[in-house]
Amino acid sequence: MKKFFPPLEYVNIPNIATTTGLVSGIVACFFMLQGNMISTIFCLLLATFMDVIDGFLAKKLKQQTRFGEYMDLLTDFFVCCVVPVLLIYTFVEVSLLTVAAASFYAVCGLWRLAYFINVTTTEKQPYFTGMPVPGAMLFGIVSIWLYWRLNAAEIAVPAFAPALCFFALGGLMISSVKFKKYGFCQKGLIIFGLAFLAAIFIF
């Protein structure tokens, strides 16, 4: 099989986790087109969880490869940078400000990932420089959910609120703020994601 499909040489548990995250992002887009906010967020949270654990699994199982690193980064760009932009256009009132915020967020995500490929992966640092894109996506979708939920409850929230959040997240992604790998940052991200998931079903 590998003779005819060479990439299958890299099939392992961490790369399967990364692929699951990509598929979750694609499914999220289908739910988004149907206007199903809850299912969209659930898929994105699953994608975030897969992104958190794939690197952990690769390290623990000693299956770290350049192929896996690049696949993870490409998946991050689609799921964490492109999909949130579509989420803004779908559930937030579109204006010049929201378009600017979405564009700024996506561009910063791209630059952060490009910086990660060219700089931090060669230095093997124990921390991320700038907010990791999965974390930025998680906080971004929380802001959109709050905007959507409060407006649905007839509590008027202006569209510039989530837009400003996306501007801030974009800035954090390309900032010099350091986030320790496999430490409080990632554990906190999982806990925050689970708490957010519970809040969705409660409220």
Side-chain angles (χ1 to χ4, degrees):
M1 183 68 73
K2 295 177 183 178
K3 178 179 179 181
F4 299 102
F5 303 99
L8 295 182
E9 173 187 351
Y10 295 97
V11 173
N12 55 35
I13 293 176
N15 290 342
I16 289 174
T18 303
T19 303
T20 301
L22 173 63
V23 173
S24 298
I26 294 171
V27 174
C29 292
F30 283 105
F31 283 124
M32 196 186 309
L33 292 173
Q34 296 172 357
N36 190 331
M37 167 69 90
I38 303 303
S39 296
T40 298
I41 290 178
F42 178 80
C43 290
L44 291 177
L45 289 177
L46 177 60
T48 302
F49 178 71
M50 289 295 110
D51 186 76
V52 170
I53 68 167
D54 60 1
F56 175 79
L57 290 172
K59 183 177 181 181
K60 289 297 181 181
L61 299 175
K62 297 183 179 180
Q63 295 179 334
Q64 295 169 297
T65 63
R66 290 294 287 172
F67 178 90
E69 288 181 11
Y70 279 110
M71 189 167 71
D72 181 61
L73 291 170
L74 290 169
T75 299
D76 280 351
F77 180 69
F78 173 71
V79 174
C80 303
C81 299
V82 175
V83 176
V85 168
L86 299 177
L87 199 63
I88 292 176
Y89 293 154
T90 304
F91 294 105
V92 179
E93 180 183 350
V94 177
S95 66
L96 182 60
L97 182 64
T98 53
V99 171
S103 301
F104 179 75
Y105 172 88
V107 168
C108 288
L110 174 65
W111 279 61
R112 203 210 83 81
L113 290 172
Y115 177 81
F116 184 81
I117 291 174
N118 288 291
V119 179
T120 60
T121 54
T122 60
E123 297 177 2
K124 298 298 180 183
Q125 297 170 332
Y127 54 80
F128 294 107
T129 299
M131 174 178 276
V133 291
M137 179 195 71
L138 181 56
F139 285 105
I141 63 177
V142 168
S143 71
I144 294 173
W145 177 76
L146 286 172
Y147 168 85
W148 172 79
R149 187 69 184 85
L150 292 174
N151 278 283
E154 298 184 350
I155 301 175
V157 177
F160 70 76
L164 292 179
C165 180
F166 271 79
F167 274 122
L169 292 170
L172 283 172
M173 285 192 288
I174 59 172
S175 72
S176 60
V177 178
K178 294 178 174 56
F179 297 85
K180 188 177 180 180
K181 294 181 180 179
Y182 313 116
F184 175 78
C185 174
Q186 288 178 301
K187 292 177 182 177
L189 193 63
I190 293 175
I191 294 172
F192 182 73
L194 291 173
F196 177 45
L197 184 62
I200 290 173
F201 289 104
I202 294 173
F203 301 104

